[in-house]
Amino acid sequence: MSAADPSRGMPDRTDAVLRATLELAREVGYARLSIEGIAARAGVGKHTVYRRWPSKGAVFLDALLSTLKADLSYPDTGDIVADLRTQMNAARTLLGSDSYGPLYAALVGEAQHDPAITQAVYERWIKPLSDGTRERLRKAREQGQLSAEHDLDTIVALLYGPLYYRFLLIPGDYDAAFVDAILHAAFTGLSPKPE
Amino acid sequence: MSAADPSRGMPDRTDAVLRATLELAREVGYARLSIEGIAARAGVGKHTVYRRWPSKGAVFLDALLSTLKADLSYPDTGDIVADLRTQMNAARTLLGSDSYGPLYAALVGEAQHDPAITQAVYERWIKPLSDGTRERLRKAREQGQLSAEHDLDTIVALLYGPLYYRFLLIPGDYDAAFVDAILHAAFTGLSPKPE
Amino acid sequence: MSAADPSRGMPDRTDAVLRATLELAREVGYARLSIEGIAARAGVGKHTVYRRWPSKGAVFLDALLSTLKADLSYPDTGDIVADLRTQMNAARTLLGSDSYGPLYAALVGEAQHDPAITQAVYERWIKPLSDGTRERLRKAREQGQLSAEHDLDTIVALLYGPLYYRFLLIPGDYDAAFVDAILHAAFTGLSPKPE
Amino acid sequence: MSAADPSRGMPDRTDAVLRATLELAREVGYARLSIEGIAARAGVGKHTVYRRWPSKGAVFLDALLSTLKADLSYPDTGDIVADLRTQMNAARTLLGSDSYGPLYAALVGEAQHDPAITQAVYERWIKPLSDGTRERLRKAREQGQLSAEHDLDTIVALLYGPLYYRFLLIPGDYDAAFVDAILHAAFTGLSPKPE
DNA sequence: AGTTAAACGAGACGGTACGTCAGGTCTTCAT
DNA sequence: ATGAAGACCTGACGTACCGTCTCGTTTAACT
């Protein structure tokens, strides 16, 4: 999915293409994005794009995820709920932003049509983030802040699933209160309170 | 989004179009689906398609959701966890099936590009289902099987969010154990057990 | 090779395409002529060109030969040599003109690469002209102005071959004197004069 | 147009390129010949081709005419008509052959689009041959076998024009009888026999 | 029963973009 | 310092669909 190694010296146009892709995607939306347009905007031949990426989705994925570099890392204040809240709100803010939200939505959309994108989205976006979450959860569990009886992957899904569910399937934005409600429900549990 | 009323008598080709759409979608995938192809397969002029639906996504949505009619309704055995398990597994089975899973994924994908589809997916798929869930949850709460302190929408998101998260963002299938794990964690809560 | 019959009433863009083809061919030359350019100049979709003609050469052939309609017909003054001289000079003038000469040369050039063009060039250009010549020669023979011992096709080749030979294979223009010389030699014969 | 002198010792790839050009031209035809393909077939970089020749036509011209070396030279049996017949039939056989005919036709075709090719075709193919013809005709004239009243260039055109006319403009092969007919008509003349 | 008007199949049309190919230039590396 | 390799921009190729737009042609409801 990523560009090949140029190795043998030539002016690498990869960055120009990725930059143009992000610009265009923001201007006209993913649906009207085209390789033709990207090449023109980057001042590059179409072949130069096709040489590196097999599809419009692949260019877009590289363009978008190259901005994700070190954003959503994890804090560790010692309070697992507070740290989850911080990080989940960072994710919520990114996905809810006008400049990035629609692009991430479009990327997930494309992933539903193209298995290669599915895989890359998982490996370069979802997995790194859930790995970070899992690490933080592991530490919390060692410190006795987390029930030991649940699998860490299950917990990650329980916490982040609702976020993506709202993001992808429910029209309209959502705010920090939703994150709070999810965290509260997840930690408290749904079972009725014993007397 | 739905077909108009034909009023003056003529053989309604709506069904033929929807049937052809589903067939083609299964054969070539949503990405290579085209209105041109649908019309040809249905033995219908392109205009007949455009008369009723504004876009390929809209035809596809009608075609797919017309099969959703009354599948995922709710049982009521008196045991809320058992009933949730039943229904969540029904959803898992549908989304995980070879014949429908990719189509629902494609529909969610299209929804990320087209606001009209987003809205229709919510109103005709997500909302009816979550309404059903909410009703069942309400009854359970009245019967004291559910903690009263959480919003019903929050609970729906907590339970179904993880399902869609796995479905849309994690490559590979998942089985009933995942549903069990989510239900168990959601009902138990993540907080450490008091001594 | 020719455009299909439109029959069912629609605005026929054939003429617009042919006109644009001739214009462009004169402006940029046949080598740089392109179907893309023709369509753009004619204000027509590329498919509209491809629907009617299988190749750039075919469009060009139709465009060029549509101007040939009734030009090079035959006079009949009763003097076969004078009439041949008149007609051969008309051909020489047409092929030698700046506006048509290069186009006819290009058409012959294209015919060497594409059998369909070869055939069409023969049937719609060469054959009609040589048929006219043959008719005029036949009459002359009946009037005793022509030796009866030669095949008419041979005579046509003997008279027009040299013209095309100069046109296609010898750089530089030629004038009426060349036509005179050919006519004189052809009618006199190469054998040494008997005493 | 010709390859540069390599002079300083290095493996001269000129021959490899010319050989590859002829092979490819015979396999796929001139129209689908490409410098890209020639370079690949010859195991040579594209630049190595462009360094020596300015265009595909130029390579092809060198490749084809390098086989013409000394084929069509002139016999001298003392009988001008017999010698012309011999040589014209040699030309007819070469141009009519399956392996060379289409290539020569393609070369003439290319000459109609590219003035540099036109010139080279004339200087390296047409002119040498017609020079040979003219020499033989001159000798015949000195021996009284030829009318003195016609220009030698006119005679060459009168004899060879019809051959190229048939070759380039009339579909279908032709045989020795055509050469005989042309020679007979040219020597006899078209004027009616005096009583 | 004949009339009428819609919806229909067919498909041409001007377009946009596709993904491929070749053109010709230029740089790098190995010999 | 030459030549093989091949990246690069350019531009045309021929194809596939887009969404709009006539065309006659059903066809069923209303005269």
Side-chain angles (χ1 to χ4, degrees):
Chain A
M1 195 63 45
S2 264
D5 181 310
S7 73
R8 300 236 257 140
M10 77 228 31
D12 193 349
R13 318 308 317 276
T14 302
D15 284 353
V17 172
L18 295 183
R19 220 173 356 252
T21 301
L22 263 194
E23 281 176 32
L24 263 183
R26 264 201 267 268
E27 287 173 26
V28 305
Y30 178 80
R32 276 197 292 268
L33 194 63
S34 72
I35 290 190
E36 198 112 9
I38 290 169
R41 169 72 66 108
V44 137
K46 280 200 290 179
H47 203 50
T48 300
V49 180
Y50 280 111
R51 204 184 338 266
R52 290 181 167 75
W53 296 275
S55 66
K56 144 178 141 171
V59 201
F60 179 63
L61 179 140
D62 269 11
L64 183 54
L65 293 193
S66 73
T67 71
L68 191 61
K69 277 283 134 48
D71 279 345
L72 302 171
S73 58
Y74 257 84
D76 184 352
T77 66
D79 177 347
I80 181 61
V81 174
D83 287 357
L84 284 170
R85 178 177 292 112
T86 301
Q87 208 279 341
M88 287 166 79
N89 273 304
R92 181 185 61 78
T93 302
L94 177 66
L95 297 182
S97 72
D98 283 351
S99 52
Y100 280 103
L103 301 187
Y104 281 104
L107 182 53
V108 173
E110 198 57 20
Q112 308 311 315
H113 303 132
D114 182 340
I117 306 285
T118 317
Q119 197 61 35
V121 161
Y122 175 67
E123 278 167 17
R124 297 173 53 195
W125 170 17
I126 303 301
K127 185 165 183 302
L129 285 183
S130 71
D131 283 353
T133 308
R134 207 163 33 240
E135 273 322 295
R136 184 65 191 80
L137 289 171
R138 183 189 319 281
K139 197 186 278 182
R141 189 158 67 181
E142 286 163 6
Q143 295 170 344
Q145 299 188 359
L146 209 56
S147 164
E149 71 182 297
H150 308 299
D151 187 66
L152 290 182
D153 279 329
T154 302
I155 302 180
V156 171
L158 193 71
L159 294 170
Y160 283 85
L163 257 61
Y164 289 107
Y165 174 73
R166 289 278 317 235
F167 175 55
L168 298 172
L169 294 172
I170 317 282
D173 292 333
Y174 57 103
D175 55 21
F178 177 70
V179 170
D180 289 341
I182 290 297
L183 272 172
H184 181 56
F187 272 80
T188 314
L190 306 179
S191 296
K193 284 265 180 48
E195 293 310 299
Chain B
M1 195 69 46
S2 263
D5 181 304
S7 70
R8 290 241 262 147
M10 77 231 28
D12 193 348
R13 317 309 316 274
T14 302
D15 283 352
V17 172
L18 295 183
R19 212 167 11 245
T21 301
L22 264 192
E23 280 175 34
L24 262 183
R26 265 199 266 266
E27 286 173 26
V28 306
Y30 179 80
R32 277 197 291 269
L33 193 63
S34 71
I35 291 190
E36 199 111 9
I38 291 169
R41 169 70 66 107
V44 137
K46 282 201 290 177
H47 206 49
T48 301
V49 180
Y50 280 111
R51 205 182 340 263
R52 289 178 167 77
W53 297 276
S55 66
K56 143 179 143 172
V59 201
F60 178 63
L61 179 141
D62 269 11
L64 184 53
L65 294 193
S66 72
T67 71
L68 190 61
K69 277 284 134 51
D71 280 345
L72 303 172
S73 58
Y74 257 86
D76 183 352
T77 65
D79 178 346
I80 181 62
V81 174
D83 287 357
L84 285 170
R85 177 176 294 113
T86 301
Q87 208 280 342
M88 286 167 78
N89 272 306
R92 180 184 62 78
T93 303
L94 177 66
L95 297 182
S97 73
D98 282 351
S99 52
Y100 282 102
L103 302 187
Y104 281 103
L107 183 53
V108 173
E110 198 56 20
Q112 308 311 315
H113 305 317
D114 182 338
I117 306 286
T118 317
Q119 197 62 35
V121 160
Y122 175 66
E123 279 167 17
R124 297 175 52 195
W125 170 16
I126 304 300
K127 185 163 182 304
L129 283 184
S130 72
D131 282 353
T133 308
R134 206 161 36 240
E135 274 323 295
R136 184 65 191 81
L137 290 171
R138 184 188 318 283
K139 196 186 281 181
R141 189 159 66 183
E142 284 163 7
Q143 295 171 341
Q145 298 189 0
L146 210 57
S147 165
E149 71 181 297
H150 309 299
D151 187 65
L152 291 182
D153 279 330
T154 302
I155 301 179
V156 171
L158 193 71
L159 294 169
Y160 283 86
L163 256 59
Y164 290 106
Y165 174 73
R166 288 280 312 239
F167 175 55
L168 298 171
L169 295 173
I170 317 280
D173 292 333
Y174 57 102
D175 54 21
F178 178 69
V179 170
D180 289 341
I182 291 295
L183 273 172
H184 180 55
F187 273 81
T188 316
L190 305 179
S191 296
K193 284 260 179 52
E195 291 311 298
Chain C
M1 192 66 44
S2 264
D5 181 306
S7 71
R8 299 233 259 144
M10 77 221 38
D12 193 349
R13 316 311 318 274
T14 302
D15 284 353
V17 172
L18 295 182
R19 212 162 15 240
T21 301
L22 263 193
E23 281 175 34
L24 263 183
R26 265 200 265 266
E27 286 173 26
V28 306
Y30 178 80
R32 275 197 293 269
L33 194 63
S34 72
I35 290 191
E36 197 114 9
I38 290 168
R41 169 71 65 107
V44 136
K46 280 201 289 179
H47 200 47
T48 300
V49 180
Y50 281 111
R51 204 183 338 265
R52 290 179 166 74
W53 297 275
S55 65
K56 144 178 142 171
V59 201
F60 178 63
L61 179 139
D62 269 11
L64 184 53
L65 294 194
S66 72
T67 71
L68 192 60
K69 278 283 133 55
D71 279 346
L72 303 172
S73 58
Y74 257 85
D76 183 352
T77 64
D79 177 347
I80 182 61
V81 174
D83 287 357
L84 284 170
R85 177 177 292 114
T86 301
Q87 208 279 342
M88 287 168 77
N89 273 304
R92 180 185 62 79
T93 302
L94 176 67
L95 296 182
S97 72
D98 283 350
S99 52
Y100 281 102
L103 301 187
Y104 280 103
L107 182 54
V108 173
E110 199 56 20
Q112 306 312 314
H113 305 317
D114 182 340
I117 307 285
T118 316
Q119 197 60 33
V121 160
Y122 175 67
E123 278 167 17
R124 298 175 52 196
W125 170 16
I126 303 301
K127 184 165 184 301
L129 285 182
S130 70
D131 282 352
T133 308
R134 207 164 32 240
E135 274 322 293
R136 184 66 191 81
L137 289 172
R138 183 189 319 282
K139 197 186 280 180
R141 190 161 64 182
E142 285 163 6
Q143 295 170 343
Q145 300 188 359
L146 210 56
S147 164
E149 69 182 299
H150 308 300
D151 186 68
L152 291 181
D153 280 329
T154 302
I155 302 180
V156 171
L158 192 71
L159 293 170
Y160 283 87
L163 256 60
Y164 290 108
Y165 174 73
R166 288 278 317 235
F167 175 56
L168 298 171
L169 294 172
I170 317 282
D173 292 334
Y174 57 102
D175 54 21
F178 178 69
V179 171
D180 288 340
I182 290 296
L183 273 172
H184 180 56
F187 272 80
T188 315
L190 305 179
S191 296
K193 285 262 180 51
E195 290 316 295
Chain D
M1 192 68 44
S2 265
D5 182 308
S7 68
R8 292 236 266 144
M10 77 222 36
D12 192 349
R13 318 309 315 275
T14 301
D15 283 353
V17 172
L18 295 183
R19 210 163 15 240
T21 301
L22 264 193
E23 281 175 33
L24 263 184
R26 265 200 266 266
E27 286 173 25
V28 305
Y30 178 80
R32 276 198 291 271
L33 194 63
S34 72
I35 290 191
E36 200 109 9
I38 292 169
R41 168 72 66 108
V44 138
K46 281 201 291 178
H47 204 49
T48 302
V49 179
Y50 279 111
R51 193 174 297 122
R52 290 179 167 78
W53 296 275
S55 66
K56 144 179 141 171
V59 201
F60 178 64
L61 179 140
D62 269 10
L64 184 53
L65 293 193
S66 72
T67 72
L68 190 62
K69 278 284 136 52
D71 280 346
L72 303 173
S73 58
Y74 257 86
D76 185 351
T77 65
D79 178 346
I80 181 62
V81 174
D83 288 356
L84 284 170
R85 177 175 295 114
T86 301
Q87 207 279 341
M88 286 167 79
N89 273 305
R92 181 183 62 79
T93 301
L94 177 66
L95 297 182
S97 72
D98 282 352
S99 52
Y100 282 103
L103 302 187
Y104 281 103
L107 183 54
V108 174
E110 198 57 21
Q112 308 310 315
H113 304 318
D114 182 339
I117 307 286
T118 317
Q119 196 62 34
V121 161
Y122 176 67
E123 279 167 16
R124 296 176 51 198
W125 171 17
I126 303 301
K127 186 162 183 303
L129 284 183
S130 72
D131 282 354
T133 308
R134 205 161 37 240
E135 273 323 295
R136 184 66 189 80
L137 289 172
R138 183 187 320 281
K139 198 187 277 179
R141 189 160 66 183
E142 285 162 4
Q143 296 169 343
Q145 299 188 0
L146 210 57
S147 164
E149 70 182 296
H150 309 299
D151 187 67
L152 291 182
D153 280 329
T154 301
I155 301 179
V156 171
L158 193 71
L159 294 170
Y160 283 86
L163 256 59
Y164 290 107
Y165 173 74
R166 288 282 311 239
F167 175 56
L168 299 171
L169 295 172
I170 316 281
D173 292 333
Y174 58 101
D175 55 21
F178 178 69
V179 170
D180 289 342
I182 290 296
L183 274 172
H184 179 57
F187 273 81
T188 316
L190 305 180
S191 296
K193 285 261 178 53
E195 290 311 298

